[in-house]
Amino acid sequence: KNSEIIAHTRLTEALSGLQVNGECLSAKNVAALASPCFFHKKFDHAVNIDKVLDEITDDESISHSRLMQTATSVREVSKQLQRRPIKMKIRNVMIVTKARDNELVHLTRELTQWLLSTPRHGSDVGVNVYVDHKLRKSKRFGMDSILSQDPRFEKMLRFWTPDLCWTSPEKFDLVLTLGGDGTVLYTSWLFQRIVPPILSFSLGSLGFLTNFQFHQYQDSLNRIMGDAGMRVNLRMRFTCTVYRAQSNPQDGGPAHIEAEQFEVLNELVIDRGPSPYVSNLELYGDNALLTVVQADGCIFSTPTGSTAYSLSAGGSLVHPDIPAILLTPICPHTLSFRPMLLNDSMLLRVAVPRNSRATAYCAFDGKGRVELRQGDHVSIAASQYPFPTVLSQPTEWFDSISRTLRWNTRGAMQKAWDEGSAPELGAGKAGEEEKGFDIDIDDDADRDSGYSAEGSSAGGSASPVRRGVVV
């Protein structure tokens, strides 16, 4: 009960700073917006809010089961956003640049200049641009030379910090990332609550999440920021909360207190760390013990993260539109412990038993490594704050795995049986070559190595053993 009260209080505090656009929502829906999952003023006109909020318009107190209804509703929101282009006035653009890559600083300058100077919304100048505050004194970025081009740029060129992303995510209408998948994951870490639409340019070593080409940025942004609008995919994230066991809880006090909390786009990894012992972890689903994990660790992955660590550990590729939680063991003690998909509305809890020989370690999207001591546990649930990414084209996920993994790609296609398709080596003049095959042809088709099984008889007469033929 105390944990539910604490969670309710935290959710209320998170909602207190939000403002609802009353012009787009009825009084009934305003009251129904108990979960911030559906609060995004920029998507109001593209989503049938009455339909997606139908299941949470009761007056009951906020409980986990009620909040988990958002997992179903987020899927409906995502479908609507993919089908219906979002047309909105983009006035503030944030640029996230991959760290420690000097070449991308030059590209950031190029993109910033174009955004500032390209006329938008009836003005002869562009939009406000936020770049990393670390570029303020960068000689490669050259802030002073950009500002000298137009005195109005001094108010339009701004700088973002992680604190600004955490406290005021509504300032940004669109986020552009220059880098690879790691830069996208860093952007997810910056926005731990509401996330603006993310458009990612492929400028890194991986490209599962970066489906826009930078050399086409003018055409892409003109289309998205113009009348065509954008289509958005709401990618599932996890809310992972670490709870610490109390050695001497007070009378009536909670046995566990909430510690760290992370929003995860790829995966939560729990492993044995430096311990020589295999992990001994209790896995609960909706407070029911599912199994005891004995392995080097386990991975809890979103569909987006199915192409990351989970895939290397033997997990399946899962399309981001499929609602599921991927459970992938790392080198399990029993070979029957195989990867599996769980319902996205399930509340998972992983606990280190109090009599465990060793502790365990958690990593959240490869960041924030935390030790779980005996008695501690971590919960995994579908997040109230999904990660919206701008779609480049409907088949972008298949294109990305074909491009990066060379999925189902072979060196050469199988040749067709076409005797006259190509001239033979050493053939004479055109029209003089003899048509037909000169090799591997026998009067008896059963002896032809290129002969298919379509003519085999039911009696098995084509079998070399039955015919007494030595192959």
Side-chain angles (χ1 to χ4, degrees):
K1 293 295 183 181
N2 290 330
S3 61
E4 291 185 2
I5 294 174
I6 293 174
H8 189 185
T9 303
R10 287 172 56 84
L11 183 58
T12 303
E13 292 175 353
L15 289 170
S16 61
L18 304 180
Q19 297 177 354
V20 178
N21 187 348
E23 296 179 357
C24 301
L25 304 177
S26 64
K28 176 184 177 182
N29 287 337
V30 170
L33 284 172
S35 169
C37 174
F38 303 111
F39 178 83
H40 209 307
K41 292 184 292 185
K42 301 174 179 61
F43 295 162
D44 283 345
H45 296 286
V47 176
N48 184 350
I49 202 71
D50 290 309
K51 183 175 182 179
V52 299
L53 292 176
D54 183 58
E55 294 185 355
I56 59 171
T57 54
D58 53 63
D59 295 326
E60 298 177 2
S61 60
I62 297 177
S63 62
H64 173 74
S65 60
R66 184 184 175 196
L67 289 178
M68 282 300 96
Q69 292 177 6
T70 61
T72 303
S73 301
V74 165
R75 296 198 291 270
E76 180 60 32
V77 172
S78 182
K79 291 178 182 178
Q80 293 189 30
L81 292 178
Q82 292 181 50
R83 292 193 299 263
R84 194 175 306 168
I86 303 170
K87 300 178 182 179
M88 60 184 183
K89 290 185 177 180
I90 298 176
R91 301 187 182 276
N92 298 285
V93 177
M94 173 182 172
I95 302 177
V96 181
T97 307
K98 178 183 177 181
R100 300 179 181 88
D101 194 330
N102 292 330
E103 181 61 29
L104 295 188
V105 177
H106 295 290
L107 299 183
T108 303
R109 175 189 170 89
E110 176 186 342
L111 181 58
T112 301
Q113 287 180 307
W114 183 80
L115 289 170
L116 290 172
S117 59
T118 304
R120 303 282 180 193
H121 313 306
S123 175
D124 59 345
V125 292
V127 297
N128 300 324
V129 180
Y130 289 80
V131 298
D132 196 328
H133 72 288
K134 298 175 184 177
L135 296 179
R136 187 187 295 270
K137 297 181 181 180
S138 169
K139 294 181 180 179
R140 293 182 177 87
F141 182 70
M143 180 189 69
D144 294 335
S145 62
I146 294 177
L147 297 180
S148 64
Q149 299 175 13
D150 193 315
R152 291 173 292 183
F153 290 173
E154 186 171 356
K155 294 183 178 180
M156 298 171 60
L157 179 58
R158 306 170 185 178
F159 297 89
W160 61 262
T161 62
D163 288 340
L164 180 63
C165 298
W166 169 253
T167 58
S168 304
E170 69 280 355
K171 283 185 177 294
F172 311 111
D173 300 318
L174 180 66
V175 178
L176 309 178
T177 69
L178 307 184
D181 290 352
T183 308
V184 179
L185 292 177
Y186 174 69
T187 306
S188 174
W189 177 81
L190 287 174
F191 294 96
Q192 288 289 299
R193 293 184 178 178
I194 296 172
V195 187
I198 309 295
L199 190 153
S200 302
F201 291 106
S202 180
L203 291 166
S205 55
L206 283 176
F208 292 107
L209 300 174
T210 54
N211 294 293
F212 287 86
Q213 300 302 316
F214 186 80
H215 67 274
Q216 300 175 341
Y217 75 87
Q218 295 187 12
D219 294 336
S220 299
L221 292 177
N222 281 334
R223 182 178 68 255
I224 289 171
M225 300 172 69
D227 295 334
M230 68 180 83
R231 284 182 168 83
V232 173
N233 179 27
L234 290 183
R235 293 178 179 266
M236 175 202 288
R237 292 200 296 179
F238 291 156
T239 297
C240 302
T241 309
V242 177
Y243 292 89
R244 299 295 185 186
Q246 299 300 294
S247 55
N248 296 310
Q250 298 178 355
D251 295 339
H256 295 81
I257 61 171
E258 181 180 328
E260 299 87 354
Q261 187 175 83
F262 300 89
E263 297 293 316
V264 171
L265 177 61
N266 259 7
E267 75 273 308
L268 162 67
V269 178
I270 307 177
D271 58 49
R272 63 179 181 169
S275 172
Y277 302 106
V278 296
S279 297
N280 188 30
L281 305 171
E282 296 174 343
L283 175 61
Y284 295 85
D286 291 333
N287 293 323
L289 180 63
L290 302 182
T291 187
V292 176
V293 177
Q294 287 184 307
D296 281 352
C298 54
I299 305 167
F300 297 91
S301 172
T302 66
T304 297
S306 67
T307 54
Y309 193 2
S310 174
L311 182 64
S312 299
S316 177
L317 290 170
V318 180
H319 194 279
D321 288 348
I322 295 177
I325 300 174
L326 287 71
L327 169 59
T328 308
I330 305 173
C331 299
H333 180 65
T334 58
L335 298 182
S336 60
F337 188 17
R338 310 308 302 160
M340 62 191 308
L341 302 181
L342 304 175
N343 195 322
D344 66 334
S345 63
M346 181 178 291
L347 172 64
L348 298 178
R349 178 163 53 92
V350 182
V352 178
R354 291 187 180 273
N355 61 351
S356 176
R357 291 184 177 184
T359 62
Y361 287 80
C362 294
F364 307 88
D365 275 346
K367 300 180 181 293
R369 192 164 174 82
V370 172
E371 182 180 12
L372 293 180
R373 302 179 183 88
Q374 287 80 354
D376 295 347
H377 67 261
V378 58
S379 65
I380 306 106
S383 175
Q384 307 298 305
Y385 306 96
F387 191 79
T389 57
V390 180
L391 288 172
S392 58
Q393 53 189 352
T395 60
E396 68 173 18
W397 185 77
F398 293 96
D399 296 339
S400 68
I401 63 172
S402 297
R403 182 180 66 253
T404 55
L405 299 178
R406 299 190 64 80
W407 175 67
N408 197 29
T409 301
R410 56 180 291 176
M413 296 300 295
Q414 189 177 32
K415 294 181 179 179
W417 294 118
D418 188 354
E419 57 189 73
S421 60
E424 301 177 16
L425 294 176
K429 296 181 181 180
E432 297 181 1
E433 58 188 79
E434 182 181 356
K435 291 187 177 182
F437 296 112
D438 289 332
I439 190 172
D440 219 6
I441 293 294
D442 198 293
D443 293 337
D444 187 350
D446 289 349
R447 296 187 179 186
D448 182 4
S449 65
Y451 181 69
S452 67
E454 63 184 10
S456 298
S457 63
S461 61
S463 171
V465 175
R466 288 181 176 272
R467 296 179 62 93
V469 177
V470 178
V471 179

